[in-house]
Amino acid sequence: MTKFYRDGTISEQSIAPFDFTDRGLLLGDGVFDTALVLGGRIFRGDAHLDRLFDASRQLGIAVDRGAITRAAEALAAHGGPGVLRTTVTRGPGPRGLRPLSPQRPTVFASLAALPTNVVFAPLTLDIAAIRRNESSPTSRLKTLNYLDAVLATAAAEAAGFDETLFMNCAGRVACAAAGNLFAVRGRQIVTPPVADGVLPGIVRAFILTECGGLERSLEIADVVAADAAFVTSSLRLIAPVTRIGDARLASTNNDVVRELQKRMWSAIDAECGITLPLPGGSDEGERLR
Amino acid sequence: MTKFYRDGTISEQSIAPFDFTDRGLLLGDGVFDTALVLGGRIFRGDAHLDRLFDASRQLGIAVDRGAITRAAEALAAHGGPGVLRTTVTRGPGPRGLRPLSPQRPTVFASLAALPTNVVFAPLTLDIAAIRRNESSPTSRLKTLNYLDAVLATAAAEAAGFDETLFMNCAGRVACAAAGNLFAVRGRQIVTPPVADGVLPGIVRAFILTECGGLERSLEIADVVAADAAFVTSSLRLIAPVTRIGDARLASTNNDVVRELQKRMWSAIDAECGITLPLPGGSDEGERLR
């Protein structure tokens, strides 16, 4: 049962009073964060809440860090395994684009059951017709403007794919609708830089700072010719990509990908004291305590 | 006092029960329309409601045309002069990008006072650093993904401009944050085609179908070298552009612009039986009945 946090209280009711002048609803004027909750802890919680706070500030949303932390931690304390979503909007305002001054940001959150079947699970990627607009700050922030991702994902599913891969307006590889893309060649692990229009993902940062990953712009030809590719997200963690459009990739059997999954799995175990199922039936991953 | 329509009732309370799983709030998964209400009538009401319904359908939102009409007409009947905003979202859904099936779209609307000082009023345009992404269907629909417009407008105002002008990713002129752009050269009136990433505006359609306007891709050099330029929107109607970045335009004294304003004014008078103030103190526009 999904739990909702609003105004300091937790409820299982999705319906509650809301201000219909809220700019989050009317203009997509806000940001959010999705994080994994295990054993009452948010995995990489500080990184998630810092990023949400920084994104709010980049948009000029005058939210308190404390309000974000309170919402997230109140729900995380309810356990898991779950998916925590924390949302910040610029709050209510008058008609039009100009915000209320001073702002009264809205913060709310939800904790849903973790769909464990997607964790570490392989996936196929369609190539989206819609480009990722790297000229917009929203390409680097997890904003409420998710319609391109909704539309591209629906198109991918209609074409028989699991997920979609965006190129940016310069024609370079950007990211999946809900995750960062990495290409593996030999021992080299590469992902596009944030400037190419991608979110600075939390699992992406784990690969870059703790597993020797590198930032470099990628052409689609580089990725389909790679030894392997994978998508990172706080929900899928490290998902091997088995197909991009017509090109097949042997990512599920790749030693580098498998090693990264194990390091991720160990990092979660170390931080949350919980093991997650690893694909391929390795013993340590069979149970989800 | 702004009036709100929700679930068949009208209220002056902005706060009301709302489903916090609504995809309009969580993902910007919806569309809206802004129209002028005068004398209890929505100016070009059928065109507005058709466009909102078509946009919903283009996004795959299974809304009834009747639900849209009921919301809009219930508020319009309350009079005006006002700004009617009608919003359609894909409705509540489970966590993630995949929608609920069958969908239960949400429709709500508001009627705010008309800021009469912006109607026909001249404005200055900054050139936005953010590009309009013509590869996305959202560039041609009035979706809830308005953050680029919010950010670019804030940047424009910080730089001393009234509004902002977007180029598209191909470097051509697209539109203002809240309106279409037209350039005038001699008797020729030109605006970018929808394919360049612009909304098929209702006032834009009036200029194209009733006043001899033409669709043609525009470079910024064409616009700053034009005799005049103007922005159309259902709220500003026809707003002469006096400056774009550093370039000044004599749009307020341009006979073609003045003539278009008068034709627009007459069309409103004919349809709604109401006269609006024209800039420059012409007698017929002094009163707002």
Side-chain angles (χ1 to χ4, degrees):
Chain A
M1 192 66 166
T2 301
K3 290 183 170 63
F4 299 90
Y5 173 97
R6 287 169 294 240
D7 299 324
T9 62
I10 291 175
S11 157
E12 291 189 349
Q13 264 297 333
S14 68
I15 297 172
F18 183 71
D19 193 325
F20 277 70
T21 70
D22 194 288
R23 294 169 57 99
L25 173 62
L26 299 183
L27 299 168
D29 193 3
V31 280
F32 72 103
D33 178 77
T34 302
L36 195 59
V37 170
L38 293 167
R41 291 191 196 88
I42 307 167
F43 178 62
R44 305 274 149 142
D46 285 345
H48 277 282
L49 303 184
D50 283 348
R51 188 182 63 177
L52 181 56
F53 179 65
D54 289 347
S56 304
R57 289 300 167 124
Q58 279 186 57
L59 295 181
I61 298 178
V63 70
D64 284 337
R65 176 65 155 80
I68 293 174
T69 309
R70 277 193 299 279
E73 292 186 349
L75 282 174
H78 274 253
V83 185
L84 173 68
R85 178 186 157 129
T86 313
T87 307
V88 176
T89 84
R90 205 181 302 269
R95 207 209 65 75
L97 299 184
R98 196 172 294 127
L100 190 70
S101 181
Q103 300 175 24
R104 291 191 284 116
T106 302
V107 178
F108 60 92
S110 63
L111 183 67
L114 177 68
T116 51
N117 61 319
V118 308
V119 176
F120 292 130
L123 47 79
T124 58
L125 296 179
D126 188 20
I127 296 177
I130 300 174
R131 299 295 182 104
R132 186 94 172 170
N133 183 4
E134 73 275 17
S135 77
S136 172
T138 64
S139 69
R140 290 176 282 280
L141 304 172
K142 204 167 172 71
T143 78
L144 300 179
N145 289 215
Y146 242 65
L147 205 35
D148 281 349
V150 168
L151 296 174
T153 302
E157 292 186 351
F161 293 86
D162 299 314
E163 242 272 35
T164 195
L165 179 64
F166 288 108
M167 304 295 111
N168 68 17
C169 290
R172 297 202 188 90
V173 173
C175 53
N180 292 106
L181 184 89
F182 284 78
V184 178
R185 185 154 235 169
R187 304 286 311 163
Q188 203 176 57
I189 308 161
V190 181
T191 196
V194 168
D196 282 355
V198 310
L199 191 73
I202 306 295
V203 178
R204 176 182 182 275
F206 170 80
I207 308 276
L208 292 178
T209 62
E210 297 173 48
C211 309
L214 303 169
E215 287 181 304
R216 201 182 68 209
S217 291
L218 289 170
E219 306 294 328
I220 186 65
D222 300 333
V223 180
V224 298
D227 297 332
F230 58 91
V231 167
T232 58
S233 85
S234 294
L235 184 50
R236 299 185 181 279
L237 299 176
I238 295 171
V241 175
T242 57
R243 191 150 67 92
I244 300 178
D246 292 332
R248 288 177 192 279
L249 287 121
S251 308
T252 46
N253 299 320
N254 183 274
D255 287 343
V256 174
V257 176
R258 185 85 190 151
E259 195 178 301
L260 291 171
Q261 288 182 322
K262 286 189 176 161
R263 287 177 76 158
M264 173 102 259
W265 180 90
S266 299
I268 290 172
D269 194 19
E271 190 173 325
C272 301
I274 293 276
T275 59
L276 283 165
L278 270 176
S282 59
D283 277 350
E284 73 269 55
E286 284 301 326
R287 66 218 148 87
L288 179 65
R289 286 204 292 260
Chain B
M1 192 67 166
T2 300
K3 291 184 169 63
F4 299 91
Y5 173 97
R6 288 170 294 241
D7 299 324
T9 61
I10 292 175
S11 157
E12 291 188 350
Q13 263 298 333
S14 68
I15 297 173
F18 184 70
D19 193 325
F20 277 70
T21 70
D22 195 288
R23 294 168 59 98
L25 174 62
L26 299 183
L27 300 167
D29 194 3
V31 279
F32 72 102
D33 178 78
T34 303
L36 195 59
V37 170
L38 292 166
R41 291 193 195 87
I42 308 167
F43 177 62
R44 305 274 150 145
D46 285 345
H48 277 282
L49 302 184
D50 283 348
R51 188 183 62 174
L52 181 57
F53 180 65
D54 289 347
S56 304
R57 290 298 167 126
Q58 279 186 56
L59 295 181
I61 298 177
V63 71
D64 285 337
R65 176 66 154 80
I68 293 173
T69 309
R70 278 192 299 280
E73 292 186 350
L75 281 175
H78 274 252
V83 185
L84 173 68
R85 177 185 158 130
T86 312
T87 306
V88 177
T89 84
R90 205 182 302 270
R95 207 208 64 76
L97 299 183
R98 196 172 292 127
L100 192 70
S101 180
Q103 299 175 26
R104 292 191 284 116
T106 303
V107 178
F108 59 92
S110 63
L111 183 68
L114 177 68
T116 50
N117 60 319
V118 308
V119 175
F120 292 129
L123 47 79
T124 59
L125 296 178
D126 188 19
I127 296 178
I130 300 173
R131 299 295 182 102
R132 185 95 172 169
N133 183 4
E134 72 276 17
S135 77
S136 172
T138 63
S139 68
R140 291 175 280 280
L141 304 172
K142 205 168 173 71
T143 78
L144 301 179
N145 290 215
Y146 241 65
L147 206 34
D148 280 350
V150 168
L151 296 175
T153 302
E157 292 186 352
F161 293 86
D162 298 314
E163 242 272 35
T164 195
L165 178 64
F166 287 108
M167 305 295 111
N168 68 15
C169 290
R172 295 201 189 90
V173 173
C175 54
N180 292 106
L181 184 89
F182 284 78
V184 178
R185 184 155 235 167
R187 302 287 310 164
Q188 203 176 56
I189 307 162
V190 180
T191 196
V194 167
D196 282 354
V198 310
L199 190 74
I202 305 296
V203 178
R204 177 183 181 273
F206 170 81
I207 307 277
L208 292 178
T209 61
E210 297 172 51
C211 308
L214 302 169
E215 287 181 305
R216 200 182 69 209
S217 291
L218 289 171
E219 306 293 329
I220 186 65
D222 300 334
V223 181
V224 297
D227 297 332
F230 59 90
V231 167
T232 58
S233 85
S234 294
L235 183 51
R236 298 185 181 280
L237 299 176
I238 294 171
V241 174
T242 56
R243 190 150 68 93
I244 301 178
D246 292 334
R248 287 175 193 280
L249 287 121
S251 307
T252 46
N253 299 321
N254 183 274
D255 286 344
V256 173
V257 176
R258 186 84 191 150
E259 197 179 299
L260 290 171
Q261 288 182 320
K262 286 190 176 161
R263 287 177 77 159
M264 173 100 260
W265 180 90
S266 299
I268 290 172
D269 193 21
E271 190 173 325
C272 302
I274 293 278
T275 59
L276 283 165
L278 269 177
S282 59
D283 277 351
E284 73 269 55
E286 284 301 326
R287 65 217 151 88
L288 179 65
R289 284 205 292 259

